[in-house]
């Protein structure tokens, strides 16, 4: 199905209307906000809609069921289904790629906050990983309107950042809260870009007993991958045991199921890739939907005031909003920066795809994801709860 310039604009407008409809349904069935009010979805798809969203990805309209077709097979797909490939004009694709390049390499906010992090070249793996970490951190900050957390705590005295990676969140939180002591932990040694007197970092395997004698007022976990199934309970027990009465646990991660309000991604390589990765991760004993378990795990341990926040985030620049396009371009850059490694590890390893099949789907994925004639999004989910006094 080919589209000209007018077709892209009309399709995008239609997708935005469908997206709004889905979001309205999503919000109508959502949990109340901390203030007890539901957020309405603006009728004209304004910038505010991401930052004011909440709801349930379990909605049948918002999270379509996966159909049984050839794309559900563990076998490497040879090509997208006939009649589903959609293209925008070459000129528009080039413009979009230029936007992605410009935002990904050097946004004013990122450059001012993390000088030297956004680079055009990566002299080593550590620099490349720093780039990816910074981009992921900035994308979530944009979705949250610059907020570093969503739970409504007063200023905490001691904070634990679980899965701190290169320590960006901990350092930014420490900069804004100089009276607070922050400890960042990760399974790999942490190499922060700079130091703060109120921030420290340790190497800790969170699936094993934690080495801390002190307790914390706030435990933050963002982007931590799925724990081995037999350790999920133990990890949340550790969080609970190391939390002061009245303190908060907050967990944030992506629910990696590709969605589109107008089903424009049906039968595409992007859809096939996401489904294959889901199967591959499952074969390795993990899950891409584990954030859905957080509410149950927190409630089972006695957390109160448990809240779930879900944000549909575009994966390219298709939405008719400058702010959402900026977020979408960051998400494109974010995903394309890891798709090669993830494909070769999960599809080539767990599902035993050939190198040729992996290279083919990687190449097609790189072409499709930035194309604004597709309207993909995924869910950013945050769950937080409070330990009773």
């Amino acid at each position: 199905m080919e589209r000209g310039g007018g077709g892209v604009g009309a399709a995008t407008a239609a997708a935005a209307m469908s997206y709004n409809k889905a979001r309205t349904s999503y919000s109508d069935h959502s949990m109340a906000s901390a203030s007890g009010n539901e957020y309405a979805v603006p009728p004209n798809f304004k910038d505010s809609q991401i930052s004011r969203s909440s709801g349930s990805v379990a909605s049948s309209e918002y999270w379509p069921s996966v159909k049984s077709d050839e794309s559900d097979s563990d076998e490497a797909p040879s090509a997208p289904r006939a009649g589903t490939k959609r293209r925008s004009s070459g000129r528009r694709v080039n413009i979009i790629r230029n936007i992605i390049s410009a935002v990904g390499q050097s946004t004013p906010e990122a450059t001012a906050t993390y000088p030297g992090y956004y680079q055009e070249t990566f002299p080593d793996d550590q620099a490349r990983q720093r780039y990816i970490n910074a981009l992921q951190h900035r994308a979530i900050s944009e979705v949250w309107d610059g907020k570093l957390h969503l739970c409504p705590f007063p200023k905490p005295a001691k904070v634990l950042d679980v899965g701190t990676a290169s320590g960006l969140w901990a350092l930014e939180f420490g900069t804004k809260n100089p009276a607070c002591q922050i400890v960042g932990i990760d399974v790999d040694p942490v190499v922060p870009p700079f130091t703060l007197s109120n921030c420290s970092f340790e190497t800790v395997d969170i699936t094993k007993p934690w080495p801390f004698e002190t307790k914390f007022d706030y435990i933050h976990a963002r982007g931590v991958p799925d724990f081995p199934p037999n350790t999920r309970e133990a990890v949340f027990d550790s969080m609970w045991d190391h939390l002061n009465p009245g303190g908060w646990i907050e967990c944030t991660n992506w629910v990696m199921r590709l969605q589109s309000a107008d089903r424009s991604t049906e039968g595409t390589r992007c859809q096939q890739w996401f489904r294959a990765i889901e199967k591959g991760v499952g074969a390795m004993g993990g899950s891409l939907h584990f954030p859905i378990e957080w509410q149950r795990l927190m409630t089972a341990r006695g957390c109160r005031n448990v809240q779930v926040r879900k944000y549909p985030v575009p994966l390219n620049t298709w939405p008719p909003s400058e702010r959402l396009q900026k977020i979408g371009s960051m998400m494109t850059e974010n995903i394309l920066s890891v798709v090669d490694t993830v494909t070769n590890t999960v599809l080539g390893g767990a599902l035993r795809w050939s190198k040729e099949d992996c290279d083919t789907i990687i190449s097609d994925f790189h072409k499709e994801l930035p194309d604004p004639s597709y309207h993909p999004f995924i869910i950013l989910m945050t769950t937080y709860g409070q330990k009773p006094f």
Side-chain angles (χ1 to χ4, degrees):
M1 179 177 176
E2 299 291 336
R3 293 185 184 180
V8 171
T12 300
M17 292 177 63
S18 180
Y19 187 70
N20 275 331
K21 180 181 178 182
R23 288 179 51 76
T24 302
S25 172
Y26 176 70
S27 181
D28 288 346
H29 295 87
S30 69
M31 299 177 66
S33 67
S35 62
N37 299 318
E38 294 292 347
Y39 292 117
V41 178
N44 58 348
F45 203 80
K46 291 182 178 179
D47 292 350
S48 58
Q49 71 179 62
I50 277 190
S51 61
R52 296 181 180 179
S53 67
S54 62
S56 171
V57 293
S59 164
S60 60
E61 181 179 11
Y62 203 64
W63 189 335
S65 60
V66 177
K67 295 181 179 180
S68 177
D69 57 26
E70 69 272 22
S71 62
D72 282 331
S73 171
D74 287 340
E75 298 298 322
S78 58
R81 290 183 296 182
T84 59
K85 178 63 178 173
R86 305 183 183 193
R87 302 178 188 272
S88 62
S89 67
R91 180 174 180 274
R92 177 156 184 167
V93 170
N94 288 335
I95 291 173
I96 296 302
R97 287 175 179 167
N98 288 338
I99 292 173
I100 292 168
S101 177
V103 174
Q105 288 173 6
S106 182
T107 62
E109 300 92 335
T111 303
T113 308
Y114 309 117
Y117 254 61
Y118 287 78
Q119 305 175 44
E120 294 186 34
T121 59
F122 308 105
D124 53 43
D125 289 340
Q126 186 179 91
R128 182 176 184 275
Q129 189 57 50
R130 283 185 172 184
Y131 168 85
I132 295 171
N133 290 339
L135 185 60
Q136 292 172 347
H137 175 69
R138 182 53 52 190
I140 294 176
S141 295
E142 288 287 344
V143 172
W144 285 359
D145 284 337
K147 299 182 182 71
L148 290 176
H149 60 84
L150 298 183
C151 66
F153 57 67
K155 290 187 176 182
K158 294 182 179 179
V159 168
L160 181 67
D161 184 26
V162 178
T164 193
S166 56
L168 292 182
W169 183 92
L171 291 167
E172 186 168 344
F173 191 91
T175 300
K176 295 182 177 180
N177 299 273
C180 177
Q181 292 296 316
I182 303 103
V183 178
I185 60 174
D186 204 288
V187 69
D188 297 316
V190 181
V191 183
F194 58 91
T195 60
L196 287 178
S197 60
N198 59 333
C199 287
S200 61
F201 300 96
E202 298 184 26
T203 302
V204 175
D205 182 348
I206 62 173
T207 66
K208 298 177 181 179
W210 291 10
F212 307 111
E213 295 182 1
T214 185
K215 293 189 177 182
F216 301 89
D217 304 311
Y218 174 52
I219 297 178
H220 169 267
R222 176 190 291 185
V224 179
D226 188 21
F227 321 117
N230 61 341
T231 65
R232 291 177 190 166
E233 302 285 342
V235 169
F236 273 81
D237 284 341
S238 294
M239 289 185 180
W240 181 261
D241 292 341
H242 288 81
L243 191 66
N244 280 322
W248 293 82
I249 298 172
E250 180 171 316
C251 300
T252 297
N253 215 326
W254 302 96
V255 180
M256 294 294 288
R257 172 169 289 189
L258 189 70
Q259 303 184 61
S260 178
D262 62 350
R263 297 186 180 274
S264 60
T265 59
E266 285 292 321
T268 62
R269 282 294 204 196
C270 288
Q271 182 192 60
Q272 293 167 355
W273 185 86
F274 272 88
R275 290 183 179 179
I277 292 298
E278 182 175 342
K279 286 180 176 293
V281 170
M284 297 166 71
S287 169
L288 295 182
H289 306 150
F290 65 94
I292 296 173
E293 287 290 297
W294 289 337
Q295 183 177 14
R296 178 188 66 80
L297 290 167
M298 289 185 190
T299 302
R301 272 143 197 82
C303 279
R304 298 180 181 177
N305 302 317
V306 177
Q307 297 288 307
V308 180
R309 296 286 176 263
K310 308 181 187 75
Y311 301 83
V313 181
L315 299 189
N316 64 32
T317 58
W318 69 266
S321 155
E322 183 176 347
R323 176 171 173 268
L324 296 180
Q325 287 175 2
K326 180 179 180 181
I327 292 171
S329 68
M330 287 183 172
M331 292 302 297
T332 300
E333 181 79 6
N334 181 12
I335 293 175
L336 292 184
S337 69
V338 299
V339 67
D340 297 47
T341 300
V342 172
T343 300
N344 290 318
T345 301
V346 179
L347 303 189
L351 298 187
R352 301 185 181 279
W353 282 24
S354 69
K355 185 178 186 305
E356 181 181 0
D357 287 331
C358 288
D359 289 345
T360 297
I361 200 167
I362 288 170
S363 176
D364 290 343
F365 192 97
H366 275 266
K367 295 173 184 176
E368 280 187 355
L369 190 65
D371 186 343
S373 67
Y374 300 113
H375 309 134
F377 63 91
I378 58 175
I379 299 298
L380 178 65
M381 177 180 286
T382 296
T383 304
Y384 57 82
Q386 184 180 29
K387 188 172 186 176
F389 286 98

